[in-house]
Amino acid sequence: MTENNLSFEQELQMLEAIVSKLEQGDVPLEEALDQFQKGVALSKKLQTTLQNAEDTLTKVINEEGQEVPFEEKNE
């Protein structure tokens, strides 16, 4: 599996590993900057995936087969 085809969980594990490594503080500056940039990119990608999932979960299919926003009934 290439890095572009990793699952959400695999990418989250990669981000956690990067954060853990950077928190230890014994990483050379150049490597730390590279890991930081990779972590920021992973974080943005994961946030986008979560937002898309949330958007999907907040929609329902109406009787005409169209997606419509889910609205809570306030009684």
Side-chain angles (χ1 to χ4, degrees):
M1 184 176 279
T2 64
E3 192 165 310
N4 291 334
N5 293 329
L6 297 176
S7 70
F8 178 86
E9 290 78 11
Q10 290 170 319
E11 289 181 333
L12 183 58
Q13 287 178 341
M14 287 177 59
L15 179 59
E16 290 172 344
I18 289 170
V19 170
S20 177
K21 190 173 185 177
L22 292 175
E23 284 179 340
Q24 292 175 1
D26 57 351
V27 181
L29 179 61
E30 292 83 10
E31 184 180 345
L33 289 172
D34 181 58
Q35 291 295 304
F36 178 78
Q37 290 174 336
K38 191 173 184 177
V40 168
L42 275 171
S43 177
K44 287 181 181 177
K45 186 175 180 184
L46 292 169
Q47 286 177 334
T48 299
T49 301
L50 287 174
Q51 184 62 52
N52 290 342
E54 183 179 334
D55 291 346
T56 298
L57 292 173
T58 58
K59 293 178 184 173
V60 294
I61 306 294
N62 67 13
E63 294 174 357
E64 289 85 35
Q66 300 169 329
E67 286 186 359
V68 294
F70 177 78
E71 296 178 18
E72 291 185 34
K73 293 182 179 180
N74 294 324
E75 295 181 25

Coordinates of all heavy atoms in Angstrom, one line a residue:
M1 N 0.9 -1.2 0.0 CA 0.0 0.0 0.0 C 0.9 1.2 0.0 O 1.8 1.4 0.8 CB -0.9 0.0 1.2 CG -1.9 1.1 1.3 SD -3.1 0.9 2.7 CE -4.2 -0.3 2.1
T2 N 0.7 2.1 -1.0 CA 1.5 3.4 -1.0 C 1.0 4.4 0.0 O -0.1 4.2 0.6 CB 1.4 4.0 -2.4 OG1 0.1 4.5 -2.6 CG2 1.9 3.1 -3.5
E3 N 1.8 5.4 0.3 CA 1.4 6.3 1.3 C 0.1 7.1 1.0 O -0.6 7.5 1.8 CB 2.6 7.3 1.5 CG 2.4 8.2 2.7 CD 3.7 8.9 3.0 OE1 4.7 8.3 3.1 OE2 3.6 10.1 3.2
N4 N -0.2 7.2 -0.3 CA -1.4 7.9 -0.7 C -2.6 7.0 -0.5 O -3.7 7.5 -0.5 CB -1.3 8.3 -2.2 CG -0.3 9.4 -2.4 OD1 0.0 10.2 -1.5 ND2 0.2 9.5 -3.6
N5 N -2.4 5.7 -0.4 CA -3.6 4.8 -0.2 C -3.8 4.4 1.2 O -4.4 3.4 1.5 CB -3.4 3.6 -1.1 CG -3.6 4.0 -2.6 OD1 -4.3 5.0 -2.9 ND2 -2.8 3.3 -3.5
L6 N -3.1 5.0 2.2 CA -3.3 4.6 3.5 C -4.6 4.9 4.1 O -5.3 5.9 3.7 CB -2.2 5.3 4.4 CG -0.7 5.0 4.0 CD1 0.2 5.9 4.9 CD2 -0.4 3.6 4.2
S7 N -5.1 4.1 5.0 CA -6.4 4.3 5.6 C -6.3 5.5 6.6 O -5.2 5.9 7.0 CB -6.8 3.1 6.4 OG -6.0 2.9 7.5
F8 N -7.4 6.0 7.0 CA -7.5 7.1 8.0 C -6.7 6.6 9.3 O -5.9 7.4 9.8 CB -8.9 7.4 8.4 CG -9.1 8.4 9.4 CD1 -9.1 9.8 9.1 CD2 -9.2 8.1 10.8 CE1 -9.2 10.8 10.0 CE2 -9.4 9.1 11.7 CZ -9.4 10.4 11.4
E9 N -6.9 5.4 9.7 CA -6.3 4.9 11.0 C -4.8 4.9 10.8 O -4.0 5.2 11.7 CB -6.9 3.6 11.3 CG -8.3 3.6 11.8 CD -9.3 3.7 10.7 OE1 -8.9 3.6 9.5 OE2 -10.5 4.0 11.0
Q10 N -4.3 4.4 9.6 CA -2.9 4.3 9.4 C -2.2 5.7 9.4 O -1.1 5.9 9.9 CB -2.6 3.6 8.1 CG -2.9 2.1 8.1 CD -2.9 1.5 6.7 OE1 -3.3 2.1 5.8 NE2 -2.3 0.3 6.7
E11 N -2.9 6.7 8.8 CA -2.4 8.0 8.7 C -2.4 8.7 10.1 O -1.5 9.4 10.5 CB -3.2 8.9 7.7 CG -2.9 8.5 6.3 CD -3.6 9.3 5.3 OE1 -4.7 9.9 5.6 OE2 -3.1 9.5 4.2
L12 N -3.4 8.3 10.9 CA -3.5 8.8 12.3 C -2.3 8.3 13.1 O -1.7 9.0 13.9 CB -4.8 8.5 12.9 CG -5.1 9.0 14.3 CD1 -4.9 10.5 14.4 CD2 -6.4 8.6 14.8
Q13 N -2.0 7.0 12.9 CA -0.9 6.4 13.6 C 0.4 7.1 13.2 O 1.3 7.3 14.0 CB -0.8 4.9 13.3 CG -1.9 4.1 14.0 CD -1.8 2.6 13.7 OE1 -1.2 2.2 12.7 NE2 -2.5 1.8 14.5
M14 N 0.5 7.4 11.9 CA 1.8 8.1 11.4 C 1.9 9.4 12.1 O 3.0 9.8 12.6 CB 1.7 8.3 9.9 CG 1.9 7.0 9.1 SD 1.8 7.3 7.3 CE 3.0 8.5 7.0
L15 N 0.8 10.2 12.2 CA 0.8 11.5 12.9 C 1.1 11.3 14.3 O 1.9 12.1 14.9 CB -0.6 12.2 12.7 CG -0.7 13.5 13.4 CD1 0.3 14.5 12.8 CD2 -2.1 14.1 13.2
E16 N 0.6 10.3 15.0 CA 0.9 10.1 16.4 C 2.4 9.8 16.6 O 3.0 10.3 17.5 CB 0.0 9.0 17.0 CG -1.4 9.4 17.1 CD -2.3 8.2 17.5 OE1 -1.9 7.1 17.3 OE2 -3.5 8.5 17.9
A17 N 2.9 9.0 15.7 CA 4.4 8.7 15.8 C 5.2 9.9 15.6 O 6.2 10.1 16.3 CB 4.7 7.6 14.7
I18 N 4.8 10.8 14.6 CA 5.6 12.0 14.4 C 5.6 12.9 15.6 O 6.6 13.4 16.1 CB 5.0 12.8 13.2 CG1 5.4 12.0 11.9 CG2 5.5 14.2 13.1 CD1 4.7 12.5 10.6
V19 N 4.4 13.1 16.2 CA 4.2 13.9 17.4 C 5.1 13.4 18.5 O 5.8 14.1 19.2 CB 2.7 14.0 17.8 CG1 2.6 14.7 19.2 CG2 2.0 14.8 16.7
S20 N 5.0 12.1 18.7 CA 5.8 11.4 19.8 C 7.3 11.6 19.6 O 8.0 12.0 20.5 CB 5.5 9.9 19.8 OG 6.2 9.3 20.8
K21 N 7.7 11.5 18.4 CA 9.2 11.7 18.0 C 9.6 13.1 18.3 O 10.6 13.3 18.9 CB 9.4 11.3 16.6 CG 10.8 11.2 16.2 CD 10.9 10.6 14.8 CE 12.4 10.4 14.4 NZ 12.5 9.8 13.0
L22 N 8.8 14.0 17.9 CA 9.1 15.5 18.1 C 9.0 15.8 19.6 O 9.8 16.7 20.0 CB 8.2 16.4 17.3 CG 8.4 16.3 15.7 CD1 7.3 17.1 15.0 CD2 9.8 16.7 15.3
E23 N 8.1 15.2 20.3 CA 8.0 15.5 21.7 C 9.3 15.1 22.5 O 9.6 15.7 23.5 CB 6.8 14.9 22.3 CG 5.5 15.6 22.0 CD 4.3 14.9 22.6 OE1 4.3 13.8 22.9 OE2 3.3 15.6 22.6
Q24 N 9.9 14.0 22.0 CA 11.1 13.5 22.7 C 12.3 14.5 22.6 O 13.1 14.6 23.4 CB 11.6 12.2 22.1 CG 10.6 11.1 22.4 CD 10.9 9.8 21.7 OE1 11.9 9.7 21.0 NE2 10.1 8.8 21.9
G25 N 12.3 15.3 21.5 CA 13.2 16.4 21.4 C 14.6 16.1 21.0 O 15.5 17.0 20.9
D26 N 14.9 14.8 20.7 CA 16.3 14.5 20.3 C 16.4 14.3 18.8 O 17.2 13.4 18.3 CB 16.7 13.3 21.1 CG 15.8 12.1 20.9 OD1 14.8 12.2 20.3 OD2 16.2 11.0 21.3
V27 N 15.6 15.0 18.0 CA 15.6 14.9 16.6 C 16.5 16.1 16.0 O 16.3 17.2 16.4 CB 14.2 15.0 16.0 CG1 14.2 14.9 14.5 CG2 13.3 13.9 16.7
P28 N 17.4 15.8 15.1 CA 18.1 16.9 14.4 C 17.2 17.9 13.8 O 16.1 17.6 13.3 CB 18.9 16.2 13.4 CG 19.0 14.8 13.8 CD 17.8 14.5 14.5
L29 N 17.6 19.2 13.8 CA 16.7 20.3 13.3 C 16.1 20.0 11.9 O 14.9 20.2 11.7 CB 17.5 21.6 13.3 CG 16.7 22.8 12.8 CD1 15.5 23.1 13.8 CD2 17.6 24.0 12.8
E30 N 16.9 19.6 11.0 CA 16.4 19.4 9.6 C 15.4 18.3 9.6 O 14.3 18.5 8.9 CB 17.6 19.1 8.7 CG 18.6 20.2 8.4 CD 19.6 20.3 9.5 OE1 19.7 19.4 10.4 OE2 20.3 21.3 9.6
E31 N 15.6 17.3 10.3 CA 14.6 16.2 10.4 C 13.4 16.6 11.1 O 12.3 16.3 10.7 CB 15.2 14.9 11.0 CG 14.3 13.8 11.0 CD 14.9 12.5 11.7 OE1 16.1 12.5 11.9 OE2 14.1 11.6 12.0
A32 N 13.6 17.4 12.1 CA 12.4 17.9 12.9 C 11.5 18.8 12.0 O 10.3 18.7 12.1 CB 12.9 18.7 14.1
L33 N 12.1 19.6 11.2 CA 11.4 20.5 10.3 C 10.6 19.7 9.3 O 9.4 19.9 9.0 CB 12.3 21.5 9.6 CG 12.8 22.6 10.5 CD1 13.9 23.4 9.8 CD2 11.7 23.5 11.0
D34 N 11.3 18.7 8.7 CA 10.7 17.8 7.8 C 9.5 17.0 8.4 O 8.4 16.9 7.8 CB 11.7 16.8 7.2 CG 11.1 15.9 6.2 OD1 10.6 16.4 5.2 OD2 11.2 14.6 6.4
Q35 N 9.7 16.5 9.6 CA 8.6 15.7 10.3 C 7.5 16.7 10.6 O 6.3 16.3 10.6 CB 9.2 15.1 11.5 CG 10.1 13.9 11.2 CD 9.4 12.8 10.5 OE1 8.5 12.2 11.0 NE2 9.9 12.4 9.3
F36 N 7.8 17.9 11.0 CA 6.8 18.9 11.4 C 5.9 19.2 10.2 O 4.7 19.2 10.3 CB 7.4 20.2 11.9 CG 6.4 21.2 12.2 CD1 5.6 21.2 13.4 CD2 6.1 22.3 11.4 CE1 4.7 22.1 13.7 CE2 5.2 23.2 11.7 CZ 4.5 23.2 12.8
Q37 N 6.5 19.4 9.0 CA 5.8 19.7 7.8 C 4.9 18.5 7.4 O 3.8 18.7 7.0 CB 6.7 20.1 6.7 CG 7.4 21.4 6.9 CD 8.4 21.7 5.8 OE1 9.0 20.9 5.2 NE2 8.7 23.0 5.6
K38 N 5.5 17.3 7.5 CA 4.7 16.1 7.2 C 3.5 15.9 8.2 O 2.4 15.6 7.8 CB 5.6 14.9 7.3 CG 5.1 13.6 6.7 CD 6.1 12.5 6.7 CE 5.5 11.3 6.0 NZ 6.5 10.2 5.9
G39 N 3.7 16.3 9.4 CA 2.7 16.2 10.4 C 1.6 17.2 10.2 O 0.4 16.8 10.3
V40 N 1.9 18.4 9.8 CA 0.9 19.4 9.5 C 0.1 19.0 8.3 O -1.2 19.1 8.3 CB 1.6 20.8 9.2 CG1 0.6 21.8 8.6 CG2 2.2 21.3 10.5
A41 N 0.7 18.4 7.2 CA 0.0 17.9 6.1 C -0.9 16.8 6.4 O -2.1 16.7 6.0 CB 1.0 17.5 5.0
L42 N -0.4 15.9 7.2 CA -1.3 14.7 7.7 C -2.5 15.2 8.5 O -3.6 14.8 8.3 CB -0.5 13.8 8.5 CG 0.3 12.7 7.8 CD1 1.2 12.0 8.7 CD2 -0.6 11.7 7.1
S43 N -2.2 16.2 9.4 CA -3.3 16.7 10.2 C -4.4 17.4 9.3 O -5.6 17.2 9.6 CB -2.7 17.8 11.2 OG -3.7 18.4 11.9
K44 N -4.0 18.2 8.3 CA -5.0 18.8 7.5 C -5.8 17.7 6.7 O -7.0 17.9 6.6 CB -4.3 19.7 6.5 CG -3.7 21.0 7.1 CD -3.1 21.9 6.1 CE -2.5 23.2 6.8 NZ -1.8 24.0 5.8
K45 N -5.1 16.7 6.2 CA -5.8 15.6 5.5 C -6.8 14.9 6.4 O -7.9 14.6 6.0 CB -4.7 14.7 4.9 CG -5.3 13.6 4.0 CD -4.2 12.8 3.4 CE -4.9 11.7 2.5 NZ -3.9 10.8 1.9
L46 N -6.3 14.6 7.6 CA -7.2 13.9 8.5 C -8.4 14.8 8.9 O -9.6 14.3 9.0 CB -6.5 13.5 9.8 CG -5.4 12.4 9.6 CD1 -4.5 12.3 10.8 CD2 -6.1 11.1 9.2
Q47 N -8.2 16.1 9.1 CA -9.3 17.0 9.4 C -10.3 17.1 8.2 O -11.5 17.1 8.5 CB -8.8 18.4 9.7 CG -8.1 18.5 11.0 CD -7.5 19.9 11.3 OE1 -7.2 20.6 10.4 NE2 -7.4 20.3 12.6
T48 N -9.8 17.1 7.0 CA -10.7 17.1 5.8 C -11.5 15.8 5.8 O -12.7 15.9 5.5 CB -9.9 17.2 4.5 OG1 -9.2 18.5 4.6 CG2 -10.7 17.2 3.3
T49 N -10.9 14.7 6.0 CA -11.6 13.4 6.0 C -12.7 13.4 7.1 O -13.8 13.0 6.8 CB -10.6 12.2 6.3 OG1 -9.6 12.2 5.3 CG2 -11.3 10.9 6.3
L50 N -12.4 13.9 8.3 CA -13.4 14.0 9.4 C -14.5 14.9 9.0 O -15.7 14.6 9.3 CB -12.7 14.4 10.7 CG -11.8 13.4 11.4 CD1 -11.2 14.0 12.6 CD2 -12.7 12.2 11.8
Q51 N -14.2 16.0 8.4 CA -15.2 17.0 8.0 C -16.2 16.4 7.0 O -17.4 16.5 7.0 CB -14.6 18.3 7.5 CG -15.6 19.4 7.2 CD -16.4 19.8 8.4 OE1 -15.9 20.1 9.4 NE2 -17.8 19.7 8.3
N52 N -15.6 15.7 6.0 CA -16.4 15.0 5.0 C -17.3 14.0 5.6 O -18.4 13.8 5.2 CB -15.5 14.4 3.9 CG -14.8 15.5 3.0 OD1 -15.2 16.6 3.0 ND2 -13.7 15.1 2.4
A53 N -16.7 13.2 6.5 CA -17.6 12.2 7.2 C -18.7 12.8 7.9 O -19.8 12.4 7.9 CB -16.7 11.4 8.1
E54 N -18.4 13.9 8.6 CA -19.4 14.6 9.4 C -20.5 15.2 8.4 O -21.7 15.1 8.7 CB -18.8 15.8 10.2 CG -19.9 16.5 11.0 CD -19.3 17.6 11.9 OE1 -18.1 17.6 12.2 OE2 -20.0 18.6 12.2
D55 N -20.1 15.7 7.3 CA -21.0 16.3 6.3 C -21.9 15.1 5.8 O -23.1 15.3 5.6 CB -20.3 16.9 5.2 CG -19.6 18.2 5.6 OD1 -19.9 18.7 6.7 OD2 -18.8 18.7 4.8
T56 N -21.4 14.0 5.6 CA -22.1 12.8 5.1 C -23.1 12.4 6.1 O -24.3 12.1 5.8 CB -21.2 11.7 4.7 OG1 -20.3 12.1 3.6 CG2 -22.0 10.5 4.2
L57 N -22.7 12.3 7.4 CA -23.6 11.8 8.4 C -24.7 12.8 8.7 O -25.7 12.3 9.3 CB -22.7 11.5 9.7 CG -21.8 10.3 9.5 CD1 -20.9 10.2 10.8 CD2 -22.5 9.0 9.3
T58 N -24.5 14.0 8.4 CA -25.6 15.0 8.7 C -26.6 15.1 7.6 O -27.4 16.0 7.6 CB -25.0 16.3 9.1 OG1 -24.2 16.8 8.0 CG2 -24.2 16.3 10.4
K59 N -26.5 14.3 6.6 CA -27.5 14.3 5.5 C -28.3 13.0 5.5 O -27.9 12.0 5.9 CB -26.8 14.4 4.1 CG -26.0 15.7 3.9 CD -25.3 15.7 2.6 CE -24.5 17.0 2.5 NZ -23.6 16.9 1.3
V60 N -29.5 13.2 5.0 CA -30.4 12.0 4.9 C -30.9 12.0 3.5 O -30.8 13.0 2.7 CB -31.6 12.1 5.9 CG1 -31.1 11.9 7.3 CG2 -32.4 13.3 5.7
I61 N -31.4 10.9 3.0 CA -32.0 10.7 1.7 C -33.5 10.9 1.8 O -34.1 10.2 2.6 CB -31.6 9.4 1.1 CG1 -30.1 9.1 1.1 CG2 -32.2 9.3 -0.3 CD1 -29.3 10.0 0.2
N62 N -34.0 11.8 1.1 CA -35.5 12.1 1.2 C -36.2 11.1 0.2 O -35.6 10.2 -0.4 CB -35.9 13.5 0.9 CG -35.6 13.9 -0.6 OD1 -35.3 13.1 -1.4 ND2 -35.6 15.2 -0.8
E63 N -37.5 11.2 0.2 CA -38.3 10.2 -0.6 C -38.0 10.3 -2.1 O -38.2 9.3 -2.8 CB -39.8 10.5 -0.4 CG -40.2 10.2 1.0 CD -41.7 10.6 1.3 OE1 -42.3 11.2 0.4 OE2 -42.1 10.3 2.5
E64 N -37.5 11.4 -2.6 CA -37.1 11.6 -4.0 C -35.7 11.1 -4.3 O -35.2 11.2 -5.4 CB -37.3 13.0 -4.4 CG -38.7 13.5 -4.6 CD -39.2 14.0 -3.2 OE1 -38.4 14.6 -2.4 OE2 -40.4 13.8 -2.9
G65 N -35.0 10.6 -3.3 CA -33.7 10.1 -3.5 C -32.6 11.2 -3.4 O -31.5 10.9 -3.9
Q66 N -33.0 12.4 -2.9 CA -32.0 13.5 -2.9 C -31.5 13.6 -1.5 O -32.2 13.3 -0.5 CB -32.7 14.8 -3.2 CG -33.3 14.8 -4.6 CD -34.2 16.0 -4.9 OE1 -34.8 16.4 -4.0 NE2 -34.2 16.4 -6.1
E67 N -30.2 14.0 -1.4 CA -29.6 14.2 -0.1 C -30.1 15.6 0.4 O -30.1 16.6 -0.3 CB -28.1 14.3 -0.2 CG -27.4 12.9 -0.4 CD -25.9 13.0 -0.4 OE1 -25.3 14.1 -0.2 OE2 -25.3 11.9 -0.5
V68 N -30.5 15.6 1.7 CA -30.9 16.8 2.3 C -30.3 16.9 3.7 O -30.0 15.8 4.3 CB -32.5 16.9 2.4 CG1 -33.1 17.0 1.0 CG2 -33.0 15.7 3.2
P69 N -30.0 18.1 4.2 CA -29.4 18.2 5.5 C -30.4 17.6 6.6 O -31.6 17.7 6.5 CB -29.3 19.7 5.8 CG -29.4 20.3 4.4 CD -30.2 19.4 3.6
F70 N -29.8 16.9 7.6 CA -30.5 16.3 8.7 C -30.9 17.4 9.6 O -30.1 18.2 10.0 CB -29.7 15.3 9.4 CG -30.3 14.7 10.6 CD1 -31.3 13.7 10.5 CD2 -30.0 15.1 11.9 CE1 -31.9 13.1 11.6 CE2 -30.6 14.6 13.0 CZ -31.6 13.6 12.8
E71 N -32.2 17.5 9.9 CA -32.6 18.5 10.9 C -33.2 17.9 12.1 O -34.1 17.0 12.0 CB -33.7 19.4 10.2 CG -33.1 20.2 9.0 CD -34.2 21.0 8.3 OE1 -35.3 21.3 8.9 OE2 -33.9 21.4 7.2
E72 N -32.8 18.3 13.2 CA -33.4 17.8 14.4 C -34.8 18.3 14.6 O -35.0 19.5 14.4 CB -32.5 18.1 15.6 CG -31.2 17.4 15.7 CD -30.4 17.7 16.9 OE1 -31.0 17.9 18.0 OE2 -29.2 17.8 16.8
K73 N -35.7 17.5 15.1 CA -37.0 18.0 15.4 C -37.0 18.6 16.8 O -36.6 17.9 17.8 CB -38.0 16.8 15.3 CG -38.2 16.3 13.9 CD -39.2 15.2 13.9 CE -39.4 14.8 12.4 NZ -40.4 13.7 12.3
N74 N -37.4 19.8 16.9 CA -37.5 20.5 18.2 C -38.9 20.4 18.7 O -39.8 21.0 18.0 CB -37.0 21.9 18.1 CG -35.6 22.0 17.8 OD1 -34.8 21.2 18.3 ND2 -35.2 23.0 17.0
E75 N -39.2 19.7 19.7 CA -40.5 19.6 20.2 C -40.6 20.2 21.5 O -39.8 20.3 22.3 CB -40.9 18.1 20.3 CG -40.9 17.4 19.0 CD -41.3 16.0 19.1 OE1 -42.0 15.6 20.0 OE2 -41.0 15.2 18.2

